[in-house]
């Protein structure tokens, strides 16, 4: 269920999966020359010194490996550039001082801002310090960046904050359009290419008396005027049962996922977020759940999160999710599945251990849902939890029935991936992703009969796999793995150890100290970041929209964020 | 004598390596929750470097992890590393079922509330375990947890 504890758990599991642990070798490296090594070198003649310490081979090996990697990777990385320096990004943005907007406020962009341009990168207008880096899309070949005059802090200068969108046809000249009052102050924007829907949520500034609002709009571009305008038509959400009204289902085609129409749950809400289709068979990797009515919530124990569980596994197959706090059972959710109907009974326990049923809810799954499956995402202490069932409710399968060795160890986010590729389902599982990332690959045509295609492939992070065209790319600790058929995987070097790879129109991208680009996942080129990105900054984010690279850096919070724009090199 | 020095150093390395293996995950996760992914990881690494340089003293402490959390926390505050919102951009983009407002909602919590909420709800620390790592009392942990979750639920519009 999409409760606050579950949101936190999922979010931090994802962060943790993408974050490298601090190894003892890194600590030694950061610490500089360490005494044991010095001692060993000085006492070369002693017997003990000739016996290498446990970590000495590691250090030597790492050094040698780094040298080898550097020798091999440098020409490899910059092969496309033809020399040993990262190619400069082609200058692209010439911010116009003649901003024109068809019907609404046009803010003139100061040339001073343009002067802040740094080398090959151009600084976006300085007054566009988006507090949230998501609002950058292309709709109908028009670049859009959403903005507002409200900021994170309550000390914002604008007593009547407005929502805006910056618009550009070519990425060079930008104009600003004020959005209707019906558009909440944008804190979050999302865009679905499939449904041509914009979702927005906000505002952040609580003490202005505004509540958090969500809204969704059908988005189109009006080209009847001199400059294109964004037209947003509100979507009536009265009958919507979405768990997350702002989260329009995104374009996940790169992942082989297809958005599912929102499932209607008569008892509260539920969501069936994405599905993978092969023919007329659909598999759903994701969660379903109920939100309990207020009168139930009021009776639930305040602190249920100490050992909270999402309950979604039980929702699929039936079973009981027990919620404990400080070792005391506080309530249970008893799930049952019959045909298309999923039901739940909520039992609250008092201090004496007596249980009282306070709620019974149910939901009917969509008729066209043939099969659904899921993995338990981002929890500790749970084995891989993959089940699916036929819609008649008569067939329930668990991972162990496939002969898969299921680990008892904790599983983290990158542990599995389900895609449709080459006309069949491919299911990637890391049986024990805490220790190794070797992957088992299963295939199926109908979602019920599965064959083990390969085991101990990789190692790579299956959950972070991305796709561009028919090329699958999965990051690993030391590089990446590439495949076209999804079964045979070849290891390739990567100029970055980032485990996050994004798909852009032209291929793949990742970044660390530079932006790294590849069309095929095998040959990479690196682009230097704006020099002043680091004077100073705390962190930065990157988006790839069309042929634009948008870098947003910030310091001392979002109020001092800066946006830079570059263009992908041709070819 | 030289051999004794080397053996002593080997023991020092081994005990520190074991300490890092046991402590790093929870220390990094707590600092990540408090200060963000990049800053939190950096703070964790710097704290462990500090521990290595002062291992003779820190290795004898009753609660070295708690001490290092304070070391890292102070360093991160001095560096004015306080943004956490950025950490959720990849999450929200990749996972449509993760509430997009979670990042800013977490950012609105105090550092301690955020750390407690993450430890208890994301990593399933017991109140006692969180209290030990953060070097605060169990009841204080509970207070931070309840206030933090109340704020999150209000900002997220979540009933639970």
């Amino acid at each position: 269920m999409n409760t606050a504890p579950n949101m936190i758990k999922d979010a931090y599991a994802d962060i943790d999966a993408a974050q490298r642990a601090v190894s003892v070798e890194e600590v030694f490296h950061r610490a500089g020359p360490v005494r044991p090594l010095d001692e060993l070198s000085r006492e070369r003649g002693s017997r003990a010194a000739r016996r290498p310490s446990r970590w000495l081979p590691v250090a030597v090996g790492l050094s040698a490996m780094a040298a080898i990697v550097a020798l091999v990777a440098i020409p490899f990385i910059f092969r496309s550039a033809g020399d040993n320096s990262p190619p400069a990004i082609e200058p692209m943005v010439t911010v116009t001082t003649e901003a024109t907007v068809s019907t609404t406020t046009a803010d003139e962009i100061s040339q001073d801002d343009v002067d802040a341009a740094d080398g090959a990168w151009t600084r976006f207008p300085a007054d566009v310090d988006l507090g949230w880096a998501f609002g950058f899309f292309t709709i109908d070949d028009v670049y859009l960046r959403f903005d507002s005059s409200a900021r994170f802090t309550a000390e914002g200068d604008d007593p009547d904050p407005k929502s805006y969108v910056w618009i550009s046809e070519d990425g060079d000249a930008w104009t600003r359009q004020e959005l209707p009052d019906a558009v909440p102050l944008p804190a979050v924007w999302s865009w679905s290419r499939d449904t041509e829907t914009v979702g927005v949520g906000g505002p952040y500034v609580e003490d202005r008396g505004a509540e958090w609002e969500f809204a969704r709009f059908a988005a189109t571009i009006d080209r009847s005027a001199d400059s294109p305008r964004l037209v947003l038509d509100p979507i009536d959400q009265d009958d919507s049962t979405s768990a997350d009204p702002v989260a329009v289902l995104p374009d996940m085609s790169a992942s082989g996922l297809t958005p599912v129409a929102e499932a209607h749950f008569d008892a509260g809400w539920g969501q069936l977020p994405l599905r993978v289709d092969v023919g007329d068979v659909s598999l759903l990797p994701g969660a379903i759940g109920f939100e309990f009515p207020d009168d139930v919530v009021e009776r639930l124990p305040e602190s249920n999160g100490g050992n909270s569980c999402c309950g979604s596994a039980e929702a699929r197959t039936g079973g009981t999710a027990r919620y404990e706090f400080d070792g005391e059972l506080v309530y249970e959710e008893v799930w049952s599945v019959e045909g298309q109907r999923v039901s739940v009974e909520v039992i609250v326990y008092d201090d004496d251990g007596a249980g009282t049923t306070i709620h019974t809810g149910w939901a009917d799954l969509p008729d066209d849902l043939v099969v659904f499956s899921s993995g338990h995402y981002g929890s500790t202490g749970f084995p891989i939890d993959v089940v699916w069932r036929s819609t008649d409710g008569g067939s329930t399968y668990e991972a162990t029935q496939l002969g898969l060795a299921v680990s008892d160890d904790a599983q983290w986010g990158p542990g599995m991936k389900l895609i449709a590729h080459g006309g069949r389902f491919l299911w990637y599982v890391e049986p024990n992703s805490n220790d190794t990332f070797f992957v088992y690959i299963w295939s199926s045509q109908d979602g019920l009969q599965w064959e083990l295609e390969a085991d101990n492939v990789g190692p790579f992070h299956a959950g972070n796999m991305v796709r561009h065209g028919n090329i699958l790319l999965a990051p690993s600790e030391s590089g990446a793995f590439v495949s076209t058929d999804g079964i045979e995987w070849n290891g390739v070097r990567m100029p970055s150890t980032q485990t996050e790879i994004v798909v852009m129109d032209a291929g793949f991208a990742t970044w660390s100290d530079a932006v790294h680009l590849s069309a095929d996942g095998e040959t990479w080129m690196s682009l230097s970041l704006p020099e002043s990105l680091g004077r100073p900054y705390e962190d930065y984010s990157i988006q790839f929209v069309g042929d634009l690279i948008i870098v947003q850096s910030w310091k001392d919070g979002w109020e001092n964020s800066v946006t830079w724009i570059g263009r992908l090199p041709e070819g | 004598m030289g051999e004794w020095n080397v053996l002593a150093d080997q023991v020092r390395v081994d005990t520190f390596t074991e300490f890092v293996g046991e402590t790093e995950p929870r220390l990094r996760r707590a600092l990540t929750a408090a200060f963000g992914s990049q800053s939190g990881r950096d703070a964790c690494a710097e704290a462990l470097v500090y521990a290595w340089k002062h291992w003779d003293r820190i290795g004898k402490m009753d609660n070295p992890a708690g001490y290092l959390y304070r070391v890292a926390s102070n360093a991160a505050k001095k560096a004015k590393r306080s943004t956490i919102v950025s950490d959720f951009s990849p999450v929200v983009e990749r996972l449509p079922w993760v509430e997009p407002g979670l990042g800013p909602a977490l950012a609105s919590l105090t550092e301690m509330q955020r750390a407690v909420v993450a430890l208890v709800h994301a990593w399933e620390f017991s109140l006692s375990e969180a209290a030990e790592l953060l070097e605060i009392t169990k009841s204080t942990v509970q207070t931070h947890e309840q206030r933090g979750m109340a704020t999150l639920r209000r900002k997220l519009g979540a009933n639970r």
Side-chain angles (χ1 to χ4, degrees):
Chain A
M1 282 178 296
N2 206 13
T3 62
N6 287 336
M7 295 178 200
I8 295 165
K9 183 182 292 184
D10 285 350
Y12 277 108
D14 196 67
I15 290 173
D16 196 67
Q19 190 180 55
R20 280 186 303 119
V22 180
S23 67
V24 72
E25 288 80 11
E26 179 181 343
V27 174
F28 291 151
H29 178 75
R30 284 182 179 232
V34 290
R35 186 163 168 262
L37 273 179
D38 296 339
E39 294 284 353
L40 284 167
S41 62
R42 280 201 297 273
E43 299 173 17
R44 198 177 297 274
S46 74
R47 180 166 56 89
R50 286 195 297 273
R51 185 180 64 224
S53 71
R54 197 172 79 184
W55 55 276
L56 181 58
V58 175
V60 173
L62 286 175
S63 301
M65 189 181 304
I68 293 171
V69 168
L71 286 172
V72 173
I74 287 174
F76 175 83
I77 291 169
F78 300 128
R79 187 167 59 192
S80 301
D83 57 31
N84 284 340
S85 60
I89 287 183
E90 179 185 345
M92 56 81 44
V93 174
T94 306
V95 179
T96 179
T97 57
E98 299 174 351
T100 56
V101 170
S102 53
T103 60
T104 56
T105 307
D107 283 9
E108 186 174 280
I109 300 169
S110 167
Q111 189 63 40
D112 292 339
D113 301 327
V114 181
D115 292 339
D118 182 3
W121 294 80
T122 300
R123 183 173 170 175
F124 204 76
D127 57 342
V128 182
D129 53 343
L130 280 186
W132 197 252
F134 303 145
F136 223 138
F137 313 115
T138 55
I139 297 178
D140 195 13
D141 295 328
V142 172
Y143 294 105
L144 300 167
R145 181 157 203 186
F146 294 95
D147 185 20
S148 87
S149 55
R151 295 294 176 256
F152 279 95
T153 61
E155 294 77 38
D157 295 327
D158 190 346
D160 184 22
K162 299 292 186 183
S163 299
Y164 303 99
V165 59
W166 291 86
I167 302 178
S168 176
E169 287 188 281
D170 56 7
D172 293 335
W174 294 81
T175 57
R176 195 170 84 163
Q177 173 188 330
E178 184 178 325
L179 296 174
D181 289 341
V183 178
L185 293 174
V188 182
W189 288 89
S190 56
W191 156 244
S192 168
R193 187 179 299 174
D194 296 292
T195 59
E196 297 184 338
T197 302
V198 161
V200 58
Y204 291 109
V205 187
E206 195 173 62
D207 64 355
R208 289 179 181 162
E211 298 293 333
W212 184 278
E213 301 172 9
F214 296 98
R216 261 182 290 189
F217 303 88
T220 54
I221 300 296
D222 176 9
R223 296 181 184 277
S224 61
D226 293 339
S227 299
R229 294 185 66 247
L230 173 67
V231 179
L232 297 176
D233 293 324
I235 296 174
D236 185 2
Q237 298 188 78
D238 289 345
D239 60 351
S240 170
T241 54
S242 170
D244 184 354
V246 74
V248 296
L249 297 169
D251 175 16
M252 298 290 284
S253 55
S255 301
L257 299 173
T258 303
V260 172
E262 292 165 3
H264 183 84
F265 285 75
D266 289 342
W269 51 258
Q271 61 176 354
L272 299 173
L274 297 165
R275 74 186 187 195
V276 184
D277 296 329
V278 171
D280 59 354
V281 178
S282 301
L283 298 181
L284 263 69
I288 61 173
F290 294 100
E291 178 177 311
F292 300 119
D294 288 344
D295 64 324
V296 175
V297 174
E298 289 171 0
R299 298 176 64 185
L300 291 175
E302 170 61 26
S303 298
N304 59 50
N307 188 24
S308 66
C309 171
C310 65
S312 57
E314 290 79 6
R316 294 181 199 100
T317 59
T320 301
R322 297 163 62 89
Y323 294 77
E324 297 179 352
F325 189 68
D326 267 2
E328 299 290 329
L329 179 64
V330 291
Y331 78 99
E332 290 179 324
E333 295 169 10
V334 182
W335 296 84
S336 61
V337 179
E338 182 179 357
Q340 296 294 104
R341 179 156 296 189
V342 177
S343 303
V344 63
E345 178 183 8
V346 181
I347 304 171
V348 173
Y349 289 86
D350 60 24
D351 294 339
D352 297 327
T356 304
T357 297
I358 63 170
H359 178 62
T360 300
W362 56 271
D364 285 336
L365 299 174
D367 291 337
D368 64 349
L369 185 63
V370 178
V371 178
F372 74 91
S373 77
S374 183
H376 197 101
Y377 180 84
S379 293
T380 57
F382 292 90
I384 286 181
D385 164 24
V386 176
V387 292
W388 58 92
R389 70 179 187 87
S390 61
T391 49
D392 62 7
S395 303
T396 304
Y397 301 86
E398 296 181 355
T400 50
Q401 292 177 266
L402 296 174
L404 177 66
V406 178
S407 168
D408 289 333
D409 293 337
Q411 297 295 324
W412 297 104
M416 63 178 62
K417 186 84 166 187
L418 177 69
I419 66 171
H421 194 70
R424 57 182 173 174
F425 295 108
L426 293 177
W427 178 38
Y428 300 85
V429 184
E430 301 164 28
N432 190 355
S433 60
N434 277 344
D435 296 331
T436 65
F437 295 94
F438 287 103
V439 178
Y440 284 64
I441 305 174
W442 298 79
S443 71
S444 176
Q445 294 285 346
D446 61 4
L448 295 175
Q449 303 299 319
W450 291 80
E451 294 182 8
L452 180 62
E453 296 281 353
D455 57 16
N456 290 310
V457 178
F460 56 78
H461 297 287
N464 291 348
M465 179 192 306
V466 292
R467 172 165 51 193
H468 186 261
N470 69 334
I471 301 172
L472 297 168
L473 181 65
S476 73
E477 292 297 301
S478 56
F481 281 76
V482 177
S483 176
T484 54
D485 66 1
I487 306 297
E488 298 287 337
W489 290 81
N490 298 315
V492 297
R493 290 191 188 90
M494 288 265 291
S496 166
T497 56
Q498 277 270 12
T499 55
E500 182 185 5
I501 301 173
V502 299
V503 176
M504 54 182 182
D505 291 349
F508 304 98
T510 184
W511 58 91
S512 51
D513 54 343
V515 180
H516 309 291
L517 308 166
S518 176
D520 58 9
E522 297 187 7
T523 304
W524 291 80
M525 65 178 302
S526 300
L527 303 173
S528 58
L529 287 164
E531 289 183 9
S532 62
L533 185 70
R535 290 201 302 265
Y537 78 104
E538 290 176 347
D539 206 346
Y540 68 93
S541 65
I542 292 185
Q543 287 182 301
F544 301 87
V545 179
D547 61 348
L548 300 186
I549 306 173
I550 300 99
V551 179
Q552 186 173 34
S553 66
W554 56 88
K555 60 177 180 176
D556 300 331
W558 286 95
E559 306 90 80
N560 295 313
S561 63
V562 176
T563 300
W564 301 85
I565 300 182
R567 195 185 291 275
L568 295 175
E570 292 185 4
Chain B
M1 186 64 186
E3 184 169 345
W4 283 111
N5 284 341
V6 171
L7 289 174
D9 284 331
Q10 184 64 61
V11 171
R12 188 167 180 264
V13 168
D14 287 346
T15 56
F16 180 73
T17 300
E18 186 178 355
F19 170 77
V20 170
E22 291 175 353
T23 307
E24 188 271 347
R26 54 194 176 115
L27 184 63
R28 172 169 48 85
R29 288 165 183 168
L31 291 165
T32 293
F35 301 105
S37 178
Q38 185 64 47
S39 300
R41 187 186 183 281
D42 284 347
C44 176
E46 290 305 315
L48 291 173
V49 168
Y50 180 88
W52 170 240
K53 290 180 175 176
H54 304 84
W55 186 236
D56 291 342
R57 175 169 60 90
I58 293 175
K60 298 172 183 171
M61 291 181 174
D62 291 337
N63 183 13
Y67 179 80
L68 291 180
Y69 181 86
R70 265 192 295 137
V71 169
S73 177
N74 291 336
K77 288 173 185 170
K78 286 178 182 175
K80 295 183 179 179
R81 294 165 169 168
S82 59
T83 54
I84 188 173
V85 177
S86 61
D87 296 322
F88 288 82
S89 54
V91 175
V92 173
E93 287 179 346
R94 286 205 303 271
L95 302 176
W97 53 86
V98 170
E99 165 61 53
L102 180 60
L106 281 166
S108 70
L109 304 184
T110 67
E111 169 211 326
M112 193 58 79
Q113 285 176 351
R114 199 160 52 232
V116 167
V117 162
L119 290 177
V120 171
H121 294 284
W123 311 123
E124 299 181 340
F125 276 37
S126 68
L127 298 183
S128 299
E129 290 169 336
E132 181 185 7
L133 179 60
L134 301 175
E135 287 204 316
I136 55 180
T137 65
K138 184 176 171 182
S139 62
T140 303
V141 169
Q142 191 161 22
T143 300
H144 285 307
E145 188 272 341
Q146 289 174 344
R147 291 180 178 174
M149 290 306 294
T151 300
L152 286 181
R153 290 189 175 101
R154 188 175 69 252
K155 287 183 176 292
L156 296 172
N159 292 326
R160 296 197 301 145

